[in-house]
């Protein structure tokens, strides 16, 4: 076990989640005006998905981060049509979005061998170009890793996400009593006694306005897209970022998190979600937990307390709600079991197509939002 934890720590300790690269298509070959010969087209630059690749390996292998395709061959008497320049392939991990310099998405790599053209080779010289070759396209591109994990931790800062990760796995994330301790995603693995492993991504805390890039914003919401399940983590005593901002109760933080996910991407709400209510060791936590359960069971009765713009279209349907304490260990075993159960139950429902369909079902259903709310401690959609 000790070996295992070191390995995991090494493997995930030095995490690269985005890379900026230079890509240039090859120049076209010269045409042959006298004989009407056409120069070869310059080679193209592609980003190609490989399951075994990581962004860190890519960076280490190509420290100069320049990718240039070959030039097209000139037209010659012996080969009037010049051959195409050699393509250049950038090996990248699966689960990447490729963006241009302005952040516009060029494409996504979702499975092994997916490929995206990022810089096109120039045309060879021909009649149209007065037999002069064109230069290849030059482009700065960004490879952005959307973290792939079974479970993503979603919560306001300080809720105890990292503390929980360190409790359920061998990961050793930074933990501190100030907001935004976690600055980049951390992965840990829950090991079960039958050797099944479930990966958990600890993500930086979200705050109101995250969808508009407040706090850590978008940068981290995007990681949630790829996790199969969500584990909401809330502090039973609520949250206050500073004396200048509102105090939010645990219930309010859940509603606000739901709204942020919805504003970022509605499909996120169709992921199976669990709720860990943390810091149950604090004085008065039991009573607050009862209040919270009451609010979650009848969210409609409490939503009028929110500003209109903060009310989500539909409240989260939690598969399980587990009171825990990362400090005393209370509820941790149950949390692990619930995570396992939920993942097993949804084993083959994690794909995007499934989620889109489910979203459509939700949208076409005439049920009022409260019907989707949790209805018991181990609540399910009615
Ligand atoms: N009393 C009590 N304190 C806790 C518990 N879990 C975490 N804490 C404390 O809460 C504070 C925040 O914990 P973190 O694990 O860093 O919280 P986080 O959600 O990862 O915070 P960010 O990374 O800033 O988003 C730390 O001071 C922890 O010691 C708990 O169960 N009970
Ligand atoms: Mg943290």
């Amino acid at each position: 076990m000790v070996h295992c934890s070191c390995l995991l720590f090494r493997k995930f300790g030095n995490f690269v989640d985005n890379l900026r690269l230079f890509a240039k298509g090859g120049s076209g070959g010269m045409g042959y005006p006298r004989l009407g010969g056409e120069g070869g087209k310059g080679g193209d630059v592609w980003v190609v998905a490989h399951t075994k690749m990581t962004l860190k390996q890519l960076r280490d292998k190509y420290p100069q981060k320049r990718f240039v395709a070959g030039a097209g061959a000139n037209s010659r008497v012996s080969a009037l049509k010049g051959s195409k320049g050699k393509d250049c392939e950038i090996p990248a991990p699966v689960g990447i979005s490729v963006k241009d310099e302005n952040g516009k998405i060029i494409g996504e790599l979702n499975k092994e061998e997916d490929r995206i053209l990022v810089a096109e080779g120039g045309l060879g010289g021909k009649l149209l170009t007065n037999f002069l070759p064109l230069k290849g396209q030059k482009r700065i591109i960004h490879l952005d890793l959307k973290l792939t994990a079974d479970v993503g931790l979603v919560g306001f800062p300080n809720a105890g996400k990292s503390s929980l990760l360190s409790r359920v796995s061998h990961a050793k994330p930074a933990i501190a009593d100030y907001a935004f301790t976690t600055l980049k995603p951390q992965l840990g693995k829950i090991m079960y006694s039958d050797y099944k492993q479930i990966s958990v991504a600890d993500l930086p805390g979200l705050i109101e306005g995250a969808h508009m890039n407040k706090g850590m914003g978008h940068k981290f919401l995007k990681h949630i897209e790829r996790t199969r399940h969500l584990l909401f983590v809330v502090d039973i005593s609520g949250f206050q970022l500073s004396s200048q901002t509102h105090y939010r109760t645990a219930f309010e933080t859940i509603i606000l998190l739901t709204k942020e996910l919805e504003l970022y991407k509605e499909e996120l709400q169709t992921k199976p979600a669990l709720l860990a209510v943390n810091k149950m060791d604090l004085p008065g936590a039991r009573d607050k937990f009862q209040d919270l359960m009451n609010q979650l069971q009848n969210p409609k009765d409490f939503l009028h307390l929110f500003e209109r713009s903060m009310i989500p279209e539909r409240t989260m349907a939690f598969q399980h709600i587990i009171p825990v304490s990362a400090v005393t260990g209370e509820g941790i075993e149950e949390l692990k079991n619930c995570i396992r159960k939920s993942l097993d139950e949804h084993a083959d429902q994690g794909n995007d197509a499934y989620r889109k369909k489910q979203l459509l079902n939700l949208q076409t259903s005439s049920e009022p939002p409260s019907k989707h709310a949790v209805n018991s401690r181990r609540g399910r959609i009615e």
Side-chain angles (χ1 to χ4, degrees):
M1 272 316 201
V2 174
H3 289 301
C4 223
S5 94
C6 294
L7 249 177
L8 283 171
F9 194 57
R10 231 182 293 147
K11 190 161 171 203
F12 299 124
N14 198 354
F15 191 75
V16 178
D17 77 344
N18 64 77
L19 266 189
R20 183 175 182 271
L21 310 172
F22 173 76
K24 183 170 174 282
S27 304
M30 293 286 283
Y32 204 131
R34 222 155 24 91
L35 300 174
E38 230 179 72
K41 185 175 175 281
D44 304 316
V45 184
W46 296 84
V47 181
V48 183
H50 295 280
T51 37
K52 293 218 171 71
M53 196 68 192
T54 67
L55 282 184
K56 186 171 177 306
Q57 283 166 349
L58 175 60
R59 189 192 62 186
D60 293 348
K61 195 166 169 197
Y62 303 96
Q64 74 292 24
K65 296 185 278 186
R66 278 176 65 85
F67 296 86
V68 181
N74 294 339
S75 164
R76 291 172 282 137
V77 178
S78 55
L80 274 183
K81 181 145 178 54
S83 53
K84 186 174 183 248
K86 196 167 181 318
D87 283 354
C88 168
E89 291 194 354
I90 306 175
V94 176
I96 286 271
S97 42
V98 182
K99 297 182 181 152
D100 69 10
E101 205 163 17
N102 304 317
K104 196 168 155 259
I105 294 189
I106 306 171
E108 293 197 339
L109 301 178
N110 294 320
K111 56 180 188 315
E112 174 85 10
E113 288 184 20
D114 272 2
R115 49 203 293 127
I116 300 167
L117 177 65
V118 290
E120 211 176 339
L123 287 180
K126 55 174 107 175
L127 189 61
L128 200 75
T129 65
N130 215 6
F131 295 97
L132 292 172
L134 297 185
K135 287 217 161 77
Q137 186 183 12
K138 272 192 213 167
R139 222 169 187 193
I140 298 284
I141 56 164
H142 292 263
L143 304 190
D144 253 330
L145 182 66
K146 300 193 189 187
L147 200 74
T148 312
D150 297 317
V151 181
L153 301 184
V154 179
F156 271 60
N158 249 348
K161 300 177 293 300
S162 304
S163 306
L164 279 178
L165 181 74
S166 68
R167 265 280 176 182
V168 298
S169 74
H170 292 287
K172 309 250 177 302
I175 294 169
D177 63 353
Y178 52 83
F180 304 121
T181 309
T182 303
L183 294 172
K184 57 185 183 183
Q186 300 273 332
L187 279 183
K189 288 218 166 182
I190 311 181
M191 314 272 189
Y192 291 87
S193 49
D194 61 353
Y195 301 107
K196 169 146 179 139
Q197 300 182 2
I198 289 178
S199 57
V200 180
D202 177 21
L203 302 168
L206 294 170
I207 55 168
E208 292 161 56
H211 71 280
M212 294 185 315
N213 243 345
K214 271 208 186 146
M216 300 278 176
H218 266 142
K219 193 159 161 20
F220 294 106
L221 276 168
K222 78 174 185 211
H223 290 303
I224 299 173
E225 283 181 57
R226 295 245 160 191
T227 62
R228 292 166 58 207
H229 284 222
L230 305 178
L231 174 59
F232 278 53
V233 181
V234 298
D235 180 337
I236 188 59
S237 55
F239 173 76
Q240 188 165 25
L241 185 59
S242 74
S243 55
Q244 275 96 55
T245 57
H246 285 290
Y247 161 75
R248 302 294 187 191
T249 64
F251 176 67
E252 286 170 338
T253 61
I254 295 168
I255 296 296
L256 292 167
L257 286 168
T258 309
K259 186 70 189 174
E260 288 305 325
L261 297 192
E262 175 189 299
L263 288 170
Y264 178 68
K265 208 168 202 184
E266 264 186 306
E267 278 110 304
L268 291 181
Q269 286 189 323
T270 64
K271 289 191 191 236
L274 292 87
L275 171 63
V277 183
N278 191 29
K279 309 200 186 179
M280 287 302 293
D281 55 288
L282 292 178
R286 294 277 136 212
D287 292 344
K288 285 189 187 141
F289 183 72
Q290 276 319 314
D291 292 346
L292 174 63
M293 289 310 293
N294 187 22
Q295 290 163 321
L296 288 173
Q297 276 158 21
N298 311 291
K300 248 190 148 180
D301 299 349
F302 301 92
L303 288 176
H304 64 274
L305 302 171
F306 290 82
E307 244 177 65
R308 238 192 137 78
S309 61
M310 290 185 187
I311 302 176
E313 293 287 317
R314 55 188 91 79
T315 41
M316 285 315 278
F318 293 110
Q319 309 279 312
H320 302 275
I321 297 176
I322 313 106
V324 297
S325 166
V327 166
T328 65
E330 171 193 343
I332 298 296
E333 274 313 302
E334 192 181 355
L335 175 65
K336 282 174 136 173
N337 293 338
C338 289
I339 291 175
R340 168 96 188 243
K341 218 152 73 192
S342 182
L343 271 148
D344 285 348
E345 277 167 17
H346 295 83
D348 42 76
Q349 302 175 351
N351 61 43
D352 273 359
Y354 171 80
R355 235 171 272 132
K356 286 219 170 83
K357 205 169 121 215
Q358 220 190 359
L359 183 66
L360 211 70
N361 285 344
L362 284 178
Q363 278 163 349
T364 49
S365 109
S366 53
E367 307 260 295
S370 65
K371 277 279 180 189
H372 297 294
V374 67
N375 66 351
S376 74
R377 180 168 158 201
R378 296 279 178 81
R380 279 175 188 287
I381 307 172
E382 274 204 312

